[in-house]
Amino acid sequence: MFGLTFEKLLIIGVIAVFLLGPERLPHYAAQLGRLVRSMRDMATGAKDRVREEMGPDFDVDWKKLDPRQYDPRRIIREALTDVDPFAEPEKPVVARAAVNENSAYLQHKRKREALGAGEPAPFDSEAT
């Protein structure tokens, strides 16, 4: 605000304390408090008056305007397709890959199922 940092404001405050002196300082501090309070009341009154005159349609829902809720990929996808953004989402379709009947997994499964109830599993002496 006007290029003033906290340190500069603190220095101005210390200088004001020395210039005003301990006799007049409480009076001016009370005046500053009244000024800040009246400015806050004016801002609140203006906000209430605007809301009153504009009606409930112009109330701002700040959560809807939060930029963190927007997904840029979704926005681009909706812009490039003719999808209604307000339509209910459809259930996703799961694509299944074609099954290779000669895969190693299915061959092993067939061998395992071919074993009898009391027959031991095959043993591979070269397996680690």
Side-chain angles (χ1 to χ4, degrees):
M1 186 170 115
F2 306 118
L4 296 176
T5 61
F6 180 73
E7 294 84 17
K8 291 178 186 177
L9 289 174
L10 185 64
I11 291 171
I12 291 171
V14 170
I15 292 172
V17 166
F18 282 117
L19 289 177
L20 294 175
E23 299 86 27
R24 291 183 284 173
L25 187 62
H27 173 70
Y28 286 112
Q31 276 187 330
L32 179 64
R34 282 193 297 270
L35 175 70
V36 169
R37 195 174 309 115
S38 67
M39 294 295 281
R40 187 178 54 212
D41 290 341
M42 284 184 358
T44 304
K47 183 175 67 171
D48 291 341
R49 185 172 176 191
V50 167
R51 182 175 293 136
E52 190 177 290
E53 290 181 5
M54 296 298 249
D57 294 338
F58 290 97
D59 278 339
V60 177
D61 185 12
W62 293 107
K63 290 182 181 181
K64 286 183 180 179
L65 299 176
D66 186 10
R68 292 175 288 183
Q69 75 171 351
Y70 294 112
D71 181 17
R73 293 172 292 194
R74 180 183 53 83
I75 293 170
I76 292 172
R77 183 175 53 245
E78 288 174 359
L80 295 177
T81 60
D82 292 332
V83 176
D84 182 16
F86 300 107
E88 292 293 322
E90 296 178 12
K91 292 183 180 178
V93 177
V94 178
R96 305 245 177 208
V99 178
N100 183 2
E101 295 296 328
N102 294 325
S103 68
Y105 171 74
L106 290 178
Q107 289 175 3
H108 177 71
K109 186 176 176 183
R110 274 189 235 113
K111 284 181 188 176
R112 195 174 20 154
E113 289 172 353
L115 293 176
E119 190 177 345
F123 179 74
D124 187 5
S125 61
E126 295 178 5
T128 55

